[in-house]
Amino acid sequence: QRRVHGEFIQLARQMGFSSSKYDVTVLRSSAAPTASLIWLHGLGDTSAPWRQIQDRFAIPYMRFILPTAFDLHDLSPDSPEDEAGIDESCKFVHDLIAAEVAEGVPANRIVVGGFSQGGALALAAGLQYPSPLGGIVCLSGFLPLRSRFPAMVLPSQKSTPIFIGHGDGDPLVLPQWAALTAQRLKQEAGLNVTLSVYRGLSHSVSDQEMHDFRQWLKSLVQ
């Protein structure tokens, strides 16, 4: 495990980001990973609670990229959207994807995902990436940039698998937002969406949800 390894500090500086603002944790088991998961935390959180994901998923050929303190610009499902701010955050995610490609991982073996606002950002950034990705994950999140949808979806992502997981007891991002997100992705953009709803789950993740996420992920990058 290496936290903010040299390549990413150099990349952050080249992109004009300070390493203190964009703290990237990189976890890997293999010296030469062949797949990557970029995981985005929720607003007000850090990547720290998610660092167990490497051991929990036990995918030895996968590198886990966990940025902290990227600016989500107050994403929420029912507030006015700061589209310029979301675009800036999307560029940061796109630069992380490009860095993985530069490290030798093909874009179609890179999965972008996140929890809550991080899941919303994963959808926005993933659907607008110019090369086909391995997958997009949104846990307890929602569809942002609603005024641009579905025009914002690039042809490169038309076949990209999307996993949406949500608790039916979520009081913050209501479960109907997940249902509406999945419906719009499928019906308006023709995307490949899996929606899994978990009984009794609040604004958090469960063992069953993480199990389903892991199985879905492994099916894409095995």
Side-chain angles (χ1 to χ4, degrees), residues 142-162:
F142 51 90
L143 178 66
L145 298 176
R146 297 178 293 276
S147 65
R148 295 189 198 170
F149 186 85
M152 73 176 189
V153 179
L154 295 186
S156 55
Q157 304 309 327
K158 287 294 188 179
S159 299
T160 299
I162 300 171

Side-chain angles (χ1 to χ4, degrees), residues 37 39 49-59 64 66 113-115 137-140 163-167 196-198 201 204-218:
L37 172 65
W39 189 255
W50 296 99
R51 291 173 192 166
Q52 62 179 317
I53 197 169
Q54 180 193 31
D55 293 334
R56 189 166 190 170
F57 278 20
I59 305 176
F64 298 86
L66 291 82
F115 175 80
V137 182
C138 179
L139 303 185
S140 300
F163 181 88
I164 296 175
H166 213 100
S196 295
V197 178
Y198 299 90
L201 182 63
S204 60
V205 296
S206 67
D207 288 342
Q208 184 61 54
E209 182 178 31
M210 294 303 285
H211 170 80
D212 294 346
F213 173 18
R214 179 180 181 273
Q215 294 302 109
W216 176 88
L217 182 64
K218 285 192 70 175

Side-chain angles (χ1 to χ4, degrees), residues 22 40 70-77 79-94 117-126 128 142-148 152:
Y22 294 96
L40 310 171
F70 52 88
D71 191 352
L72 289 174
H73 298 275
D74 197 26
L75 283 173
S76 64
S79 66
E81 293 189 307
D82 174 10
E83 293 190 359
I86 297 171
D87 288 341
E88 180 183 344
S89 296
C90 286
K91 182 182 184 304
F92 171 60
V93 176
H94 289 178
Q117 288 89 350
L121 178 57
L123 283 173
Q128 297 183 93
F142 51 90
L143 178 66
L145 298 176
R146 297 178 293 276
S147 65
R148 295 189 198 170
M152 73 176 189

Side-chain angles (χ1 to χ4, degrees), residues 172-204:
L172 298 179
V173 181
L174 299 179
Q176 53 260 42
W177 279 95
L180 181 60
T181 292
Q183 180 182 35
R184 294 197 68 188
L185 292 173
K186 290 179 179 180
Q187 295 184 0
E188 297 179 37
L191 300 177
N192 176 11
V193 180
T194 298
L195 171 63
S196 295
V197 178
Y198 299 90
R199 175 175 289 186
L201 182 63
S202 184
H203 193 65
S204 60

